[in-house]
Amino acid sequence: MTIISQLKERRAVRDHEPREVEQEKIEQLLEAATWAPNDRMREPWSFYVIQGEAKKKYEELAEAYLKERFPTKPHLVESSLKAVKNTPVHIVVTADTVEGDEEATEDNKYAVSCAIHSMWLAAKELGLGFVWRTRGVGLVRDERLYEFIGMPAGKVVVGNVFLGYPNEESLTKMKEPARTSFTEKTTWL
């Protein structure tokens, strides 16, 4: 399969089978992430793998957060919690900040975004479903997540990866991919 076809077939998989992901596969994804391009070889990423008992604590955090954020939307809370509970592995990915250098900090966030995307493509090759959460149940802007993972100063959360074996039934219900043509988004100078 070519890289271009992999990019076109990449999907956000939100429904996972209730089975654990082998540590070897998780490690392969983390290795793939470390090969992402990054400015001045700062390698600004850190990964916090949440599974097992830690995942149960994360579920409690997510429930508290969702009930606070969406007090009048119990169905949204319920469906979001289902996604959290049905996901065997969460990987919180952070970028290093560079004190006094806002541009370098931004560059680090871009590098970490590339790292996450590298993981996404590798996940498909390994038969895993993957979605990169930046809001809602990902808790990326919630202080409780930072405390939970023990995130030191000098880092910022870029995303929370939800990872597992895809639920085959939900895969069959996914829409065919569609994108606006690059010709509508490109200006040639």
Side-chain angles (χ1 to χ4, degrees):
M1 178 179 295
T2 69
I3 294 290
I4 291 173
S5 62
Q6 276 194 329
L7 289 167
K8 289 179 179 179
E9 291 177 14
R10 182 204 51 76
R11 294 288 170 277
V13 178
R14 293 172 176 84
D15 296 319
H16 300 99
E17 296 291 333
R19 69 185 243 214
E20 295 301 315
V21 176
E22 299 86 346
Q23 184 167 336
E24 177 186 334
K25 287 188 176 185
I26 297 169
E27 290 173 355
Q28 286 178 290
L29 294 180
L30 298 171
E31 164 100 23
T34 65
W35 287 97
N38 61 99
D39 187 48
R40 299 186 182 156
M41 291 301 292
R42 281 193 292 265
E43 300 183 54
W45 35 72
S46 293
F47 309 97
Y48 301 83
V49 180
I50 302 169
Q51 55 186 1
E53 287 301 312
K55 191 172 110 41
K56 292 176 185 171
K57 292 177 184 171
Y58 177 79
E59 290 170 9
E60 292 170 10
L61 281 178
E63 183 171 7
Y65 170 81
L66 290 164
K67 285 181 176 178
E68 287 173 20
R69 184 161 181 218
F70 305 108
T72 62
K73 298 181 179 179
H75 295 297
L76 176 61
V77 171
E78 184 180 324
S79 66
S80 296
L81 283 175
K82 180 182 175 193
V84 169
K85 291 178 180 181
N86 289 342
T87 300
V89 180
H90 302 267
I91 304 174
V92 178
V93 188
T94 65
D96 297 341
T97 59
V98 181
E99 190 175 339
D101 192 341
E102 200 172 308
E103 290 177 353
T105 296
E106 284 297 305
D107 289 344
N108 285 351
K109 290 179 193 176
Y110 304 145
V112 169
S113 296
C114 290
I116 293 170
H117 195 254
S118 294
M119 292 170 71
W120 204 332
L121 293 176
K124 179 157 177 42
E125 182 176 306
L126 296 172
L128 298 171
F130 186 107
V131 65
W132 173 6
R133 302 279 187 163
T134 56
R135 298 175 49 192
V137 294
L139 305 179
V140 300
R141 293 177 185 87
D142 192 273
E143 289 290 329
R144 290 170 286 201
L145 177 66
Y146 310 161
E147 291 171 20
F148 174 68
I149 64 173
M151 186 176 79
K155 295 194 180 290
V156 61
V157 175
V158 176
N160 188 343
V161 170
F162 283 36
L163 179 70
Y165 285 96
N167 176 299
E168 293 299 323
E169 183 180 332
S170 66
L171 286 180
T172 62
K173 295 178 183 176
M174 286 187 163
K175 296 178 192 174
E176 281 296 312
R179 289 289 195 270
T180 303
S181 171
F182 73 90
T183 60
E184 295 180 40
K185 302 279 187 176
T186 305
T187 301
W188 298 86
L189 304 175

